[in-house]
Amino acid sequence: MATRATHEVFNVPEPWAGVNLFDGDQGLTGTLRAAGLSADQQHALSQLGALAGTPLAQDWARLANSQPPVLRSHDRYGHRIDEVEFHPSWHELMSVAVANGLHATPWSAAGDGAAAQAHLARAAGFYLWSQVEQGHLCPISMTYSVVPALRHNPQLAERYEPGLTSTSYDFGLRPPASKAGLLAGMAMTEKQGGSDVRANTTQARSVADGSYRLTGHKWFCSAPMCDLFLVLAHLDDVGLSCFAVPRVLPDGTRNPFAIQRLKDKLGNRSNASSEVEFAETTGWLVGEPGRGVRTIIDMVSMTRLDCVIGSAAVQRSALTQAMHHIAGRSAFGSKLVDQPLMHEVVADLAIEVEAAMALFVRLAQAVDRDEAPLLRLAVAAAKFWVCKRTSAVVGEALECLGGAGYVEESPLPRYFRESPLNSIWEGSGNVIALDVIRAISREPATVQALTTELAGTAGADPRLDQAVDELAKRMADLGADPDADARSARSLAGLLARTLQASLLVRASDLPGRSVLAESYLQTRLAEPTPAVFGDRPSLGVTATSKLLEYCDPNRA
């Protein structure tokens, strides 16, 4: 007698797979077309988006995080080797990222045409591939960010830049000149200082051949298998300076670089974050002696931009999964997507995601256009706001799946663990908010650049005009009471970011499908205080929410 199954599985969504994350993203594709991205660049992004939505790529992400890297401090004979082993899925993810130029390749672009949009195209690709897995993009981001800092020493840039901009992923510790491609990292943080890098105690001494010897401990050094690191250390009596420290020296010998342990982190588990010791470790000076923070800030600015892009991508990934689930699940007599309150909540999430995307696109354009004053202020505000909002977005998206989103078979727990990371790395919330008011107070060119940017939508909507006026007043009032300025730094950084997002969305409201997005943002985001939870805002109405969900759902493409 045949055994009958005890139950039939029904009322669950079909497995999520086969979605082109570029072609299905109407907001991203429309924004990039309007920005003039070339057909070839869009085609390359479409190919990357197709791969990103496959079960294969999603499985790479799962395996790279469920089987994290392992430290091998010594070989079988007791020799110190300080190497990290990764699951093969890590190398697959890295190979795709490097082959698609998501690291330092834009810095090698020159001339007109496609090269003029190299950083924008790279940012869009970073956004797409970040929706697969975040951990491996730490060394990709640092490699992107190291080039402008390394150029403070033209000789070092000439030596390393060809490998850093190569599209070949070549893993392993070998002489840099013998490798097809290189990756770079940085080591600034020490136990006693954290973000206060001026509290660092690592020392450097000069030697006769023009190099330096570094001795000290770095409490947080991500991706220690990179080929080259920028390191901060105190030099003689001149102060904190920046040094380029390779893992393998030009003569083939290994530089002293003792990996003491790998960090057991909340998220980002695929990435090897470590503590390292330098003991007479060879390095070369980058930038002026005593100006190490000023030198390495060029790198930090670009990694902060990638924090914005990566956070926007985690938001998008969570929203995509939530939209897929509510379209395939019924409760209380109807599909979840047809439940009025669910409609309102997910549409509210979609507004947040689209605004984050619009902001990072504009910042990437500013890199292409060398708009340094705007970047100085806008990247900091964007880093504060977008990264800070990500945990709330992912938490709400997870809740859309209910208990199904809380179990590890779903990618939502991984997204949730990842969600606070970019708000912490490269300056946590308070550090970034204070940096915003520092830029406003000390660098008038940044305020002028922002004012010019916002003037592009003057008179377009009274709610936006009011926000711009309020922002201008608050920036002008800085300096009268430093303590009060500090206490209000988060509020000011958030207002700046939201006003800039609103301006960008209004500016693009003539693009297909964008008018309802701009109106919804103005209606829900410029009020003070910002509502605490998604869906706890003025009702957008069924017509607006339906249009938003249709516009923002890549699963429907």
Side-chain angles (χ1 to χ4, degrees):
M1 182 177 179
T3 302
R4 185 174 180 180
T6 58
H7 69 279
E8 176 186 355
V9 177
F10 64 98
N11 192 26
V12 295
E14 293 294 321
W16 183 87
V19 177
N20 188 313
L21 297 181
F22 180 73
D23 292 353
D25 192 332
Q26 296 184 66
L28 180 64
T29 55
T31 300
L32 295 179
R33 280 195 301 269
L37 209 64
S38 73
D40 287 344
Q41 289 170 319
Q42 292 181 61
H43 178 67
L45 290 169
S46 178
Q47 291 184 311
L48 182 61
L51 176 59
T54 61
L56 176 63
Q58 299 297 321
D59 212 38
W60 289 341
R62 178 183 63 81
L63 290 169
N65 281 273
S66 62
Q67 302 185 50
V70 176
L71 172 63
R72 294 183 63 229
S73 59
H74 297 76
D75 68 11
R76 60 181 291 195
Y77 302 106
H79 301 118
R80 186 107 198 189
I81 58 173
D82 295 293
E83 295 184 2
V84 179
E85 290 182 342
F86 294 86
H87 188 272
S89 293
W90 166 273
H91 298 299
E92 297 286 1
L93 292 163
M94 290 290 293
S95 295
V96 172
V98 173
N100 281 271
L102 306 186
H103 57 316
T105 302
W107 301 110
S108 64
D112 299 322
Q117 302 270 25
H119 292 278
L120 175 57
R122 180 261 173 192
F126 193 88
Y127 178 64
L128 292 170
W129 200 236
S130 292
Q131 293 176 50
V132 178
E133 205 278 326
Q134 290 263 309
H136 78 288
L137 290 167
C138 178
I140 296 298
S141 177
M142 291 191 295
T143 304
Y144 172 64
S145 305
V146 76
V147 172
L150 194 63
R151 286 176 176 175
H152 286 276
N153 186 322
Q155 291 77 24
L156 289 177
E158 182 179 2
R159 180 190 305 174
Y160 289 108
E161 203 168 311
L164 293 170
T165 58
S166 166
T167 54
S168 296
Y169 174 59
D170 192 354
F171 181 79
L173 298 180
R174 300 189 304 281
S178 71
K179 297 187 66 176
L182 304 175
L183 295 171
M186 59 181 169
M188 296 188 292
T189 305
E190 297 185 8
K191 289 191 291 287
Q192 72 283 353
S195 294
D196 183 9
V197 295
R198 295 189 186 278
N200 286 0
T201 61
T202 298
Q203 298 292 316
R205 65 175 183 87
S206 59
V207 295
D209 65 2
S211 64
Y212 297 80
R213 299 294 181 268
L214 278 61
T215 299
H217 177 273
K218 295 297 180 180
W219 187 77
F220 215 97
C221 175
S222 277
M225 288 299 287
C226 287
D227 301 283
L228 179 71
F229 292 83
L230 291 190
V231 177
L232 292 178
H234 285 279
L235 174 60
D236 302 325
D237 296 326
V238 299
L240 207 59
S241 304
C242 181
F243 300 88
V245 174
R247 286 294 314 264
V248 179
L249 297 170
D251 65 3
T253 60
R254 291 198 177 184
N255 213 2
F257 197 101
I259 304 175
Q260 302 292 39
R261 63 170 175 165
L262 299 185
K263 299 290 192 181
D264 186 7
K265 307 186 298 292
L266 168 68
N268 206 247
R269 299 186 69 83
S270 69
N271 179 34
S273 300
S274 64
E275 291 184 40
V276 299
E277 292 276 0
F278 301 132
E280 290 290 288
T281 301
T282 298
W284 286 270
L285 185 66
V286 180
E288 299 177 30
R291 301 275 291 172
V293 175
R294 180 67 264 170
T295 300
I296 210 168
I297 203 68
D298 289 338
M299 183 177 189
V300 171
S301 178
M302 292 297 97
T303 53
R304 285 178 175 177
L305 172 57
D306 278 358
C307 286
V308 178
I309 301 171
S311 290
V314 174
Q315 291 183 24
R316 164 55 77 178
S317 295
L319 175 65
T320 298
Q321 293 294 327
M323 286 182 158
H324 175 73
H325 182 84
I326 66 174
R329 176 82 165 178
S330 296
F332 308 109
S334 63
K335 292 283 189 182
L336 287 177
V337 71
D338 296 324
Q339 299 276 5
L341 186 53
M342 180 65 78
H343 221 64
E344 200 79 21
V345 168
V346 179
D348 208 1
L349 292 172
I351 296 168
E352 196 79 23
V353 172
E354 291 292 326
M357 181 274 294
L359 184 51
F360 88 67
V361 166
R362 177 64 185 96
L363 296 176
Q365 288 177 305
V367 179
D368 279 318
R369 299 168 184 173
D370 197 24
E371 298 177 283
L374 179 63
L375 284 167
R376 171 68 183 91
L377 182 53
V379 166
K383 201 274 189 190
F384 172 80
W385 183 251
V386 175
C387 298
K388 187 67 69 180
R389 297 290 292 162
T390 300
S391 293
V393 171
V394 177
E396 195 68 64
L398 186 156
E399 195 169 329
C400 291
L401 276 68
Y406 203 72
V407 296
E408 291 292 341
E409 284 86 352
S410 162
L412 268 300
R414 173 161 51 88
Y415 300 162
F416 192 70
R417 288 191 295 270
E418 202 74 27
S419 62
L421 178 139
N422 287 317
S423 189
I424 297 170
W425 286 10
E426 307 308 332
S428 55
N430 282 357
V431 171
I432 297 298
L434 292 171
D435 193 42
V436 168
I437 64 171
R438 185 181 303 112
I440 294 170
S441 302
R442 300 180 183 178
E443 302 175 49
T446 67
V447 177
Q448 182 57 54
L450 178 66
T451 301
T452 301
E453 177 75 14
L454 295 175
T457 45
D461 187 277
R463 293 163 295 185
L464 177 55
D465 288 343
Q466 182 178 352
V468 171
D469 291 344
E470 173 65 16
L471 176 63
K473 180 181 183 302
R474 292 183 60 178
M475 291 193 297
D477 288 344
L478 288 177
D481 185 342
D483 285 346
D485 292 346
R487 291 189 183 96
S488 64
R490 284 186 172 220
S491 173
L492 179 56
L495 176 61
L496 196 162
R498 295 199 311 280
T499 303
L500 184 53
Q501 284 181 324
S503 178
L504 292 169
L505 294 176
V506 167
R507 205 173 310 171
S509 59
D510 59 338
L511 296 177
R514 301 290 279 188
S515 60
V516 66
L517 178 63
E519 171 57 31
S520 297
Y521 190 94
L522 292 169
Q523 183 178 337
T524 60
R525 296 309 195 267
L526 292 188
E528 287 280 6
T530 303
V533 296
F534 291 97
D536 180 23
R537 305 166 187 270
S539 177
L540 298 174
V542 65
T543 301
T545 53
S546 296
K547 288 182 178 179
L548 282 170
L549 295 187
E550 183 176 357
Y551 179 72
C552 299
D553 188 357
N555 303 297
R556 299 189 181 191

